[in-house]
Amino acid sequence: MRNGDDCPATGSSWLQRLYTRSPALFCFCGMAILMTVLWSLGFQLNGDVDDLVKLHEVRTLLETGNIFDRTLPGVAQPEPYVSHWPWIVDLPYAAFARLLMPLAGFEPALMLASFAVPLLLLAPALYFYNRLVIAMGFANPAVALPLALIFAARSFFEYAPGRIDYHNLQILLLLAALVLMLSQNRFAAFINGLLAALALAISAEFAPFYALVMAVYAVDWIFGREQGPDRIVGFGLALALGGVGLFATIVPPSAYFAVKCDTYSAPHVTALVAAGLSFAVVPLLVGRRGGWATRAAILLVFAAASAVALVLLFPHCLAGPYASLDAYVRDNMLNRIPQELSLFRRPDFVLSGSFPSMALLFVGALAPAVICLNPQSRSRPLVILALFSLLALALAIGYFRYFRYLPVFSGIGLTFVLASFLPPDAGQGRYLKSHVPTASPRYALILPGLVLSVAMALYQLSARPSHAAIPAAEFADSCDLRHFEQRQGWPAGAVVLTPPLIGAHFLALAEGPKVVTIPNHPSAQGIERSYRFLDPSTADPRAFLDASKATHVALCGWRGPPSPHLETAYPFAAALMEGHPPSWLRECPTDASSPLRLYSYRNADGSDATCPVSTASAQALP
């Protein structure tokens, strides 16, 4: 019989063994609890307005059951708004909500899906991240994993409750791709090809990462590495088959020959099939003939021929997914969105309180590459990590929307940095010790990241990027909408002209009005009308109000004393924000705590539009 003194030690030993066997499970529980607590306290973490649009999109899918019709009924520009996101990104949320609807009802089930599905996606993401950490060769991955997660927390906050955009799914698929590249399973490359097709069907945003995935398989074959031919053929066949299968799944037969550059359509499936067949056919044609130069040349010929064919077939897609946007929308809205800018144009980020975290991420992103400078350190997993880390860094600097993915790679790099500064044979150092020799001296690991950070700061101080004047619509869209709630019952047929962000908040309401615009590029016509409506240079704002067929106007309310600067810069917008409308608009009563001012205009038949009425049953957003 054991005495009481043995119990704590025994319990601790049992718990420690369980954690050592399943660190990803414990990290999942810890992160899920942390993000749930932060969510309950009102922190949005990585949330953005796309989550609101996605909520309406999933709601529409559940209501209609039509997977091919991507028209969102809540957006009336008055032209139809057709979503550029394929229905498969809505599937996890719609399926989860459908299971709960008999028990909880429609809206509660949808809210539960928005809460739970991102957390459920976190579990496999952490599993693959743990596999990646193990492949790096740390002495005790159970210690290295939580440290890497602490450094990579910003990326994994994409799995916070309510974060229902597609970014968390993309991170999961990329982590799976990295692990499958390192796997010795003979089916790993084939599965990776299918996942690559899925990721690129969801969005072309990760195309640079999957181009690097393809490059790794190509290099394995070119240099005759073990299983190189089988890997490239399997990946290529799966990529082509997956591309065709997803095309049939996502695209309705009536749109098979439609060309859309911003969503999965003929150009995308053609590119996937061309790349996949090139990978599958070239090794079979070449066989064992020729050296690495011959193999590389033949593969490049096939790649060049595929690229030329794509350019000839779909030349207008060379301008990117935003090619059709009007110059006015580009200059006044798109080019002012922070995530659409490069770090060279973001002094508000580089020269701000975010600078230390940026420098830390730069250090972690470059550390694997520094380690690989030592020939003894070039293990396949570390070289692959270094390549993807460098690519993520380049993308983040050139296009800020990629910055959210950089911590995935910097987290592991910073763990190497931390290990290099700890005594290798004492304390935590022995757990983080890796069989991979790190750079010597240890400061070499942090120097490149610090130099890059200083260079970015010096550039900002010398170049000092100029900022264009803030458009009136952006100013009228800048109130605090974090606690936006449904406090009005809107009349049937109401269509509200708002700046884009406010429009997205209305769109997400279960029983809100239709809106003219939201901040997504398929809503470019509505964006232009809402911006021109408030533009001081517009002679007759009613022309754009009539063109949008709106019955009401909503914008941020200015509740403080009148601002001479505001009234001088934006006379029309200021009058509406301060509650001084023209004779053709009538202010509607709003709660004193409301961030908005509402105005009624007229209905389609020419009659005066009625104001929304206050309702006690507030429908809060998640």
Side-chain angles (χ1 to χ4, degrees):
M1 181 175 181
R2 300 180 183 274
N3 57 39
D5 294 337
D6 293 333
C7 292
T10 304
S12 176
S13 176
W14 172 83
L15 187 62
Q16 183 178 359
R17 289 197 302 270
L18 181 61
Y19 172 76
T20 303
R21 286 196 296 266
S22 306
L25 176 61
F26 279 76
C27 288
F28 165 75
C29 294
M31 287 202 69
I33 293 171
L34 172 64
M35 291 190 296
T36 299
V37 170
L38 292 175
W39 171 83
S40 66
L41 294 174
F43 292 93
Q44 293 186 341
L45 299 179
N46 288 4
D48 62 26
V49 72
D50 283 349
D51 296 322
L52 304 176
V53 180
K54 185 74 172 294
L55 182 65
H56 176 71
E57 190 172 276
V58 176
R59 182 184 288 121
T60 301
L61 177 61
L62 287 169
E63 289 175 342
T64 65
N66 190 337
I67 61 174
F68 289 131
D69 186 2
R70 303 302 288 163
T71 303
L72 298 188
V75 184
Q77 307 178 75
E79 295 83 2
Y81 176 99
V82 181
S83 175
H84 59 296
W85 296 324
W87 70 270
I88 53 176
V89 298
D90 300 337
L91 181 60
Y93 305 93
F96 190 93
R98 182 68 69 182
L99 289 174
L100 295 180
M101 280 167 55
L103 300 175
F106 187 93
E107 282 299 321
L110 182 58
M111 296 302 106
L112 286 171
S114 300
F115 174 87
V117 172
L119 293 176
L120 293 177
L121 293 175
L122 175 64
L126 289 182
Y127 168 79
F128 288 120
Y129 200 57
N130 183 48
R131 299 293 302 174
L132 195 58
V133 170
I134 291 173
M136 293 303 110
F138 293 104
N140 193 333
V143 175
L145 175 62
L147 287 173
L149 282 176
I150 291 173
F151 295 128
R154 181 170 180 174
S155 289
F156 285 95
F157 282 162
E158 292 290 330
Y159 296 90
R163 187 67 175 122
I164 60 176
D165 201 354
Y166 63 89
H167 301 302
N168 47 30
L169 186 57
Q170 288 284 55
I171 292 173
L172 169 60
L173 293 174
L174 182 59
L175 288 174
L178 291 169
V179 171
L180 287 169
M181 276 195 297
L182 301 176
S183 173
Q184 297 300 315
N185 189 296
R186 61 176 182 169
F187 297 110
F190 186 86
I191 297 173
N192 215 358
L194 295 177
L195 294 183
L198 176 60
L200 294 172
I202 292 173
S203 170
E205 183 175 343
F206 269 34
F209 289 114
Y210 286 97
L212 184 53
V213 171
M214 296 173 68
V216 170
Y217 284 114
V219 168
D220 284 346
W221 171 69
I222 289 171
F223 289 97
R225 291 178 181 154
E226 186 179 359
Q227 297 183 349
D230 294 337
R231 287 173 178 266
I232 193 173
V233 170
F235 181 86
L237 285 175
L239 187 66
L241 291 174
V244 173
L246 286 164
F247 185 76
T249 302
I250 293 171
V251 181
S254 60
Y256 280 172
F257 299 102
V259 178
K260 298 180 180 180
C261 303
D262 62 343
T263 190
Y264 195 62
S265 62
H268 303 80
V269 69
T270 303
L272 291 182
V273 170
L277 291 181
S278 297
F279 268 33
V281 170
V282 170
L284 299 179
L285 293 177
V286 176
R288 298 183 179 276
R289 298 188 298 274
W292 69 267
T294 302
R295 295 182 180 189
I298 294 175
L299 194 58
L300 287 174
V301 168
F302 271 75
S306 300
V308 170
L310 287 170
V311 170
L312 294 176
L313 290 172
F314 315 108
H316 55 289
C317 286
L318 291 175
Y322 303 140
S324 61
L325 290 189
D326 182 84
Y328 180 88
V329 176
R330 283 181 177 275
D331 294 339
N332 288 278
M333 194 264 191
L334 181 67
N335 291 341
R336 294 186 55 83
I337 299 176
Q339 76 167 9
E340 299 296 323
L341 303 176
S342 71
L343 276 183
F344 297 107
R345 298 175 59 193
R346 291 287 306 271
D348 62 315
F349 186 82
V350 176
L351 301 178
S352 71
S354 300
F355 183 84
S357 63
M358 182 196 76
L360 195 64
L361 291 177
F362 283 2
V363 168
L366 290 171
V370 176
I371 295 173
C372 288
L373 293 177
N374 182 349
Q376 298 178 349
S377 305
R378 294 176 193 160
S379 66
R380 176 183 170 85
L382 190 59
V383 169
I384 288 176
L385 174 69
L387 290 173
F388 277 86
S389 187
L390 289 174
L391 176 60
L393 177 61
L395 292 172
I397 292 175
Y399 198 7
F400 191 77
R401 70 161 53 235
Y402 287 98
F403 209 86
R404 60 167 58 95
Y405 310 119
L406 183 61
V408 170
F409 306 100
S410 295
I412 299 177
L414 287 170
T415 304
F416 275 114
V417 172
L418 180 62
S420 70
F421 280 88
L422 293 175
D425 299 318
Q428 296 297 324
R430 70 178 186 275
Y431 297 117
L432 295 178
K433 183 179 180 181
S434 172
H435 62 74
V436 176
T438 56
S440 180
R442 65 187 65 174
Y443 293 100
L445 285 181
I446 65 173
L447 185 61
L450 294 179
V451 169
L452 178 59
S453 301
V454 172
M456 290 295 301
L458 291 176
Y459 172 84
Q460 295 288 358
L461 290 171
S462 60
R464 293 194 176 278
S466 60
H467 291 288
I470 300 175
E474 183 178 328
F475 191 85
D477 210 12
S478 59
C479 46
D480 185 1
L481 300 171
R482 287 176 297 176
H483 303 291
F484 190 92
E485 296 177 345
Q486 173 65 48
R487 296 185 182 275
Q488 294 87 21
W490 288 86
V495 179
V496 187
L497 177 70
T498 73
L501 293 179
I502 297 175
H505 282 78
F506 274 123
L507 184 71
L509 296 174
E511 298 180 357
K514 292 183 178 180
V515 296
V516 171
T517 188
I518 56 176
N520 285 49
H521 71 275
S523 186
Q525 291 168 299
I527 291 171
E528 181 176 4
R529 287 168 186 146
S530 68
Y531 270 60
R532 288 193 184 276
F533 173 71
L534 296 171
D535 195 324
S537 65
T538 299
D540 183 8
R542 280 181 295 181
F544 297 99
L545 190 55
D546 291 335
S548 65
K549 298 183 179 180
T551 61
H552 297 77
V553 173
L555 72 172
C556 291
W558 184 269
R559 305 291 181 180
S563 169
H565 172 72
L566 176 65
E567 293 170 348
T568 301
Y570 319 106
F572 179 63
L576 295 182
M577 295 175 71
E578 293 175 354
H580 308 299
S583 59
W584 40 270
L585 287 178
R586 179 167 61 95
E587 185 171 9
C588 296
T590 55
D591 189 276
S593 63
S594 174
L596 304 180
R597 287 194 187 272
L598 306 178
Y599 297 94
S600 66
Y601 183 49
R602 64 187 178 203
N603 296 314
D605 60 5
S607 61
D608 291 339
T610 59
C611 286
V613 296
S614 298
T615 175
S617 55
Q619 175 85 36
L621 279 178

